[in-house]
């Protein structure tokens, strides 16, 4: 008979630690943190590795459990006929300043203190209405580079009843990467990212994902940008050139009408800084300002964003009801974007900097993103020309061929509203200037707009030049005299010696040549000439003339009435001439 077996005992199984919070297993209760270790330093790894809860990064679950929970969330969203919207805060739906603000308070402007630093926040126009309308179609999540305390405080102001965001708030403290927000998507949505749409003023932090609806940055406080922008991130992309991308002036010999030229953007920026705007002073409550000017309060950006999101929602569920398949929001939003300029063949004039690849410019990238075809030159397929200034070859060619020409503000409007504006509202002509963003304004050439001076102006300029040249000549004469004086002082034989009169004779010789120019001057300059002739000092002009007349009569008596010399003197002159001729011949031979 087989031996009797006792009752089976349940063997203890090892815990997989599928749920861990603050390095402690939620299943078995074991403390997994190393002794004297920091958060995340565990003695056992366990299966928990996914942080699914936005505001509780210390809570980790296993991949299997994360997918199970994610599947339930996905089914719940689809059951409610909603999608998922990730909302950025700074310069998307609010603008925050850490600088003093003395303007009037309102329901959309509030102040608070974080870590002993006062802050002021302005809510973008239409934000509350936008959240109310979108809440019926999207489950909203906050994703921001602001700190946790800041993010929750702003969410409390926007959603005091917690019906929009609830606790779905992801701050800088929970983000996995300092420059990109995309690294958290897999943990938050383990079952896929197909239902996600994003609104943000920056595309780079989302690595240019197709489901990003880029929002025009909202700026209420003039001297403050995005205080929570990721460190090291590039500036927000604009359709217009930056200071580094500015088209250079044509080189010598080039046709200035071929390419747009602009002044130094840095110099323009310095001029703007040197001349404070009165509106900026008023917005910050500067002394003497009548009241705050709020140029952004006519902002309608969120209304256009709402239209795009509602259109994407409608397309998604139309396809879902027909096929029962989940479409990808990256594809849907990209299609809506490309339909804006579909069929347009665009040529850029004066926008692409010389020597730069056009594919690297913001204007080209935005054209392609919104569905336009780019052309280097004007052809019969060209439908539109976007120019920065009047007078280029492409602009004139477009007008001759009846092709519409618009300013760069037209393309900015496309990016802002996600629809094609009326070209008649943005014509480019001789009198129009492209409305480029401040600090990136492209100016027409200063030489092209320079007025020709008249004859009086040219004569005045010539007189100024002559006067300057005469001053230079006087300075050169003074320098020459100084050099001669120094040279005389350096020659031992010419130094002053009471027993040697060579220096005095040299000075007399110098005076003789220096006085040559005073013969044709006024009466006060006759003194040196009289000394050379031996004229007595203190003689007046009348006596001088009488004495000169007597001298002439004496000469006539000596040489004869006809002024001829005696024969002996004439022979002597002939001998002297012959001797001089012989010496000259010997010298040249």
């Amino acid at each position: 008979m087989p031996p009797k077996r006792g009752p089976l005992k349940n063997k203890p199984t090892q815990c997989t630690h599928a749920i861990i919070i603050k390095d402690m297993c939620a299943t078995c209760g074991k403390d997994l943190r190393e002794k004297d270790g920091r958060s995340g330093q565990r003695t056992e790894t366990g299966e928990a590795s996914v942080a699914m809860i936005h505001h509780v990064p210390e809570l980790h679950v296993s991949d299997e459990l994360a997918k199970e929970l994610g599947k339930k969330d996905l089914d719940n969203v689809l059951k409610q006929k909603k999608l998922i919207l990730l909302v950025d805060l700074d310069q998307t739906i609010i603008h925050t300043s850490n600088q003093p603000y003395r303007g009037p308070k309102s329901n959309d402007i509030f102040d608070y203190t974080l870590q002993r630093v006062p802050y002021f926040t302005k809510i973008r126009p239409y934000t509350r209405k936008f959240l109310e309308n979108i809440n019926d179609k999207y489950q909203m999540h906050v994703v921001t580079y602001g700190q946790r305390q800041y993010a929750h405080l702003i969410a409390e102001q926007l959603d005091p009843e917690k019906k929009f965001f609830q606790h779905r708030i992801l701050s800088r403290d929970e983000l996995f990467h300092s420059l990109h927000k995309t690294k958290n998507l897999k943990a938050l949505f383990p079952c896929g990212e197909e239902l996600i749409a994003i609104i943000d003023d920056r595309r780079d932090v989302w690595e240019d994902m197709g489901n990003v609806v880029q929002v025009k940055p909202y700026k209420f406080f003039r001297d403050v940008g995005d205080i929570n922008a990721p460190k090291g991130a590039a500036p927000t992309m604009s359709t217009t050139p930056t200071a580094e991308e500015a088209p250079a002036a044509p080189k010598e010999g080039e046709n200035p009408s071929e390419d747009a030229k602009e002044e130094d953007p840095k110099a323009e920026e310095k001029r703007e800084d040197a001349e404070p705007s009165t509106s900026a002073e008023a917005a910050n409550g500067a002394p003497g300002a009548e009241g705050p000017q709020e140029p952004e309060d006519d902002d309608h950006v969120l209304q256009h964003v709402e239209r795009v999101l509602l259109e994407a929602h409608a397309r998604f569920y139309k396809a879902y009801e027909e096929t029962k398949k989940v479409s990808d929001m990256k594809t849907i939003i990209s299609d809506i974007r490309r339909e804006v300029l579909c069929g347009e063949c665009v040529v850029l004039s004066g926008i692409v900097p010389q020597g730069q690849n056009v594919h690297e410019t913001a204007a080209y990238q935005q054209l392609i993103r919104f569905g336009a075809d780019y052309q280097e030159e004007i052809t019969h397929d060209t439908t539109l020309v976007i120019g920065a200034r009047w007078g280029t070859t492409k602009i004139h060619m477009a007008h001759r061929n009846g092709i519409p020409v618009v300013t760069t503000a037209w393309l900015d409007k496309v990016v802002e509203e996600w629809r094609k504006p009326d070209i008649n509202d943005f014509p480019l002509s001789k009198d129009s200037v492209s409305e480029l963003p401040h600090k990136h304004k492209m100016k027409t050439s200063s030489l092209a707009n320079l007025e020709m001076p008249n004859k009086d102006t040219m004569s005045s300029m010539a007189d100024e030049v002559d006067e300057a040249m005469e001053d230079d000549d006087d300075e050169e004469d003074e320098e020459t005299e100084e050099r001669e004086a120094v040279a005389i002082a350096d020659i031992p034989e010419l130094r002053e010696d009471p027993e040697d009169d060579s220096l005095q004779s040299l000075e007399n010789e110098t005076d003789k040549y220096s006085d040559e120019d005073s013969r044709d001057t006024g009466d006060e300059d006759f003194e040196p000439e009289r000394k050379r002739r031996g004229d007595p000092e203190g003689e007046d002009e009348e006596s001088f003339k009488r004495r000169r007349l007597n001298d002439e009569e004496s000469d006539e008596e000596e040489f004869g009435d006809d002024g001829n010399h005696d024969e002996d003197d004439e022979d002597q002159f002939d001998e002297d001439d012959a001797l001089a001729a012989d010496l000259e011949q010997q010298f040249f031979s």
Side-chain angles (χ1 to χ4, degrees):
M1 293 181 60
K4 294 182 179 181
R5 297 179 180 177
L8 297 176
K9 296 181 180 180
N10 294 328
K11 295 182 179 180
T13 57
Q14 187 176 2
C15 181
T16 58
H17 309 308
I19 303 175
I20 298 176
I21 182 169
K22 293 186 178 180
D23 297 329
M24 181 175 288
C25 179
T27 305
C28 67
K30 183 177 180 179
D31 186 3
L32 304 176
R33 183 176 297 180
E34 296 179 356
K35 185 178 180 180
D36 299 331
R38 293 178 298 177
S39 177
Q41 295 179 345
R42 304 172 185 170
T43 57
E44 300 179 24
T45 56
E47 296 181 357
S49 60
V50 181
M52 287 193 64
I53 309 301
H54 299 65
H55 59 290
V56 188
E58 299 89 354
L59 177 61
H60 294 78
V61 299
S62 63
D63 290 340
E64 182 180 354
L65 183 57
K67 291 180 180 180
E68 182 181 344
L69 296 175
K71 182 66 168 60
K72 291 181 180 181
D73 291 340
L74 177 62
D75 294 339
N76 185 43
V77 171
L78 292 174
K79 185 178 179 179
Q80 298 179 27
K81 288 190 175 181
K82 285 189 174 184
L83 297 172
I84 297 172
L85 179 64
L86 307 184
V87 182
D88 175 57
L89 293 181
D90 291 284
Q91 291 196 301
T92 298
I93 59 176
I94 64 167
H95 186 215
T96 297
S97 171
N98 53 7
Q99 302 296 325
Y101 172 73
R102 303 178 186 88
K105 302 293 177 66
S106 67
N107 293 333
D108 291 338
I109 303 177
F110 55 94
D111 63 291
Y112 47 93
T113 301
L114 293 177
Q115 299 178 356
R116 299 181 180 180
V117 178
Y119 291 91
F120 296 87
T121 294
K122 172 68 169 66
I123 301 176
R124 190 170 200 156
Y126 196 72
T127 295
R128 301 183 191 276
K129 187 67 174 177
F130 169 81
L131 296 176
E132 189 73 34
N133 296 342
I134 291 297
N135 188 52
D136 295 335
K137 305 295 183 182
Y138 287 84
Q139 180 190 92
M140 289 182 284
H141 303 238
V142 171
V143 183
T144 177
Y145 271 110
Q147 295 180 351
R148 183 183 303 172
Q149 187 179 3
Y150 168 82
H152 283 264
L153 189 149
I154 298 299
E156 180 69 22
Q157 291 287 335
L158 297 173
D159 184 20
E161 300 178 2
K162 291 183 172 53
K163 62 179 181 180
F164 301 144
F165 307 116
Q166 297 182 10
H167 296 288
R168 298 183 294 268
I169 303 173
L170 192 69
S171 68
R172 179 193 304 174
D173 300 309
E174 293 85 49
L175 289 172
F176 297 157
H177 198 279
S178 60
L179 293 178
H180 300 135
K181 300 177 180 179
T182 54
K183 307 303 180 183
N184 288 69
L185 293 181
K186 186 176 181 180
L188 296 176
F189 310 101
C191 292
E193 306 168 6
E194 289 81 6
L195 274 62
I196 298 175
I198 303 168
I199 60 171
D200 202 319
D201 65 304
R202 308 182 65 100
R203 294 195 344 256
D204 56 335
V205 297
W206 296 103
E207 300 182 287
D208 287 337
M209 294 176 61
N211 54 348
V212 176
V213 179
Q214 187 176 12
V215 178
K216 177 184 177 181
Y218 176 62
K219 190 172 182 180
F220 177 80
F221 304 102
R222 297 228 173 214
D223 297 330
V224 180
D226 187 353
I227 64 173
N228 291 314
K231 295 182 180 180
T236 54
M237 184 173 291
S238 172
T239 59
T240 52
T242 62
E244 291 76 17
E245 294 177 342
K251 298 179 181 179
E252 184 177 357
E254 293 181 354
N255 187 355
S257 65
E258 291 292 337
D259 299 281
K261 302 180 288 296
E262 70 169 349
E263 296 177 352
D264 184 8
K266 295 183 179 178
E268 175 70 18
E269 190 170 330
K270 292 178 181 177
R271 286 196 294 272
E272 292 181 359
D273 295 339
E275 301 175 0
S277 173
T278 56
S279 60
E281 293 177 354
N284 290 306
E290 297 180 358
Q293 297 185 8
E294 302 174 358
E296 297 290 352
D297 274 356
D298 60 351
D299 182 280
H300 302 288
V301 171
L302 290 182
Q303 298 182 27
H304 301 298
V305 173
E306 178 183 323
R307 172 176 50 82
V308 173
L309 293 176
L310 293 179
E311 174 66 20
H313 180 276
R315 295 190 184 189
F316 178 91
Y317 276 99
K318 181 180 179 181
Y320 181 74
E321 291 175 357
E322 293 176 355
T323 62
K324 298 301 179 182
K325 294 182 179 180
V326 175
S327 303
D328 194 343
M329 285 292 287
K330 298 184 187 69
T331 303
I332 294 176
I333 293 179
S334 296
D335 290 343
I336 296 175
R337 184 190 299 110
R338 284 193 292 265
E339 290 172 4
V340 175
L341 296 181
C342 181
E344 294 285 350
C345 296
V346 181
V347 173
L348 301 177
S349 176
I351 298 177
V352 181
Q354 294 181 356
Q356 182 175 357
N357 188 351
V358 65
H359 299 87
E360 299 176 354
T361 61
Y364 171 84
Q365 294 176 12
Q366 294 289 26
L367 284 174
I368 300 303
R369 282 172 57 82
F370 282 86
D373 293 328
Y374 172 77
Q375 294 179 322
E376 290 281 352
E377 302 293 340
I378 295 178
T379 66
H380 64 279
D381 295 326
T382 304
T383 59
L384 186 69
V385 175
I386 302 177
R389 63 179 291 271
W390 177 265
T392 65
T393 302
K394 293 179 181 178
I395 298 297
H396 289 307
M397 183 181 297
H399 275 277
R400 286 195 299 269
N401 291 275
I403 300 173
V405 180
V406 296
T407 65
T408 54
W410 182 88
L411 183 55
D412 292 333
K413 204 70 172 178
V414 170
V415 178
E416 176 183 339
E417 298 185 356
W418 283 54
R419 62 184 179 186
K420 184 162 55 177
D422 188 353
I423 58 177
N424 296 322
D425 295 337
F426 303 92
L428 180 65
S429 62
K430 295 180 180 179
D431 302 327
S432 65
V433 179
S434 298
E435 299 177 359
L436 306 183
H438 74 287
K439 295 187 180 180
H440 300 303
K441 288 185 179 180
M442 297 178 62
K443 304 289 185 180
T444 55
S445 173
S446 58
L447 293 178
N449 296 331
L450 187 65
E451 296 182 359
M452 292 299 296
N454 53 29
K455 292 183 178 180
D456 295 338
T457 304
M458 292 293 293
S459 176
S460 176
M461 293 171 62
D463 293 341
E464 292 179 1
V465 173
D466 294 339
E467 183 179 353
M469 294 180 65
E470 291 176 359
D471 293 341
D472 293 341
D473 293 340
D474 294 340
E475 293 178 359
E476 291 179 0
D477 294 340
E478 292 178 0
E479 294 177 357
T480 302
E481 294 177 359
E482 292 178 358
R483 286 196 297 269
E484 291 177 353
V486 172
I488 293 172
D490 291 339
I491 301 175
E493 293 78 0
L494 299 182
R495 291 175 182 169
E496 289 191 41
D497 190 344
E499 299 180 359
D500 190 358
D501 58 350
S502 59
L503 179 60
Q504 185 66 31
S505 62
L506 180 61
E507 291 178 354
N508 294 337
E509 188 72 13
T510 305
D511 290 340
K512 182 181 74 171
Y513 291 104
S514 63
D515 293 337
E516 289 294 329
D517 295 334
S518 57
R519 285 176 292 183
D520 297 329
T521 59
D523 295 340
E524 65 274 9
D525 294 330
F526 286 157
E527 189 65 24
E529 185 179 0
R530 290 171 177 175
K531 288 183 179 180
R532 287 196 301 270
R533 294 194 301 263
D535 298 340
E537 296 183 2
E539 184 179 21
D540 58 7
E541 188 66 23
E542 189 65 26
S543 300
F544 170 73
K545 292 181 178 179
R546 274 198 307 272
R547 188 169 56 79
R548 291 290 295 173
L549 183 61
N550 294 333
D551 292 343
E552 291 176 358
E553 292 176 355
S554 300
D555 291 341
E556 290 178 359
E557 294 177 358
E558 180 180 356
F559 295 108
D561 294 339
D562 56 357
N564 294 329
H565 302 285
D566 295 337
E567 293 182 0
D568 295 340
D569 295 334
E570 187 173 358
D571 295 337
Q572 182 66 30
F573 291 152
D574 292 341
E575 293 177 1
D576 294 339
D577 292 341
L579 179 62
D582 293 339
L583 293 175
E584 182 178 0
Q585 184 176 3
Q586 293 177 6
F587 174 80
F588 284 105
S589 62

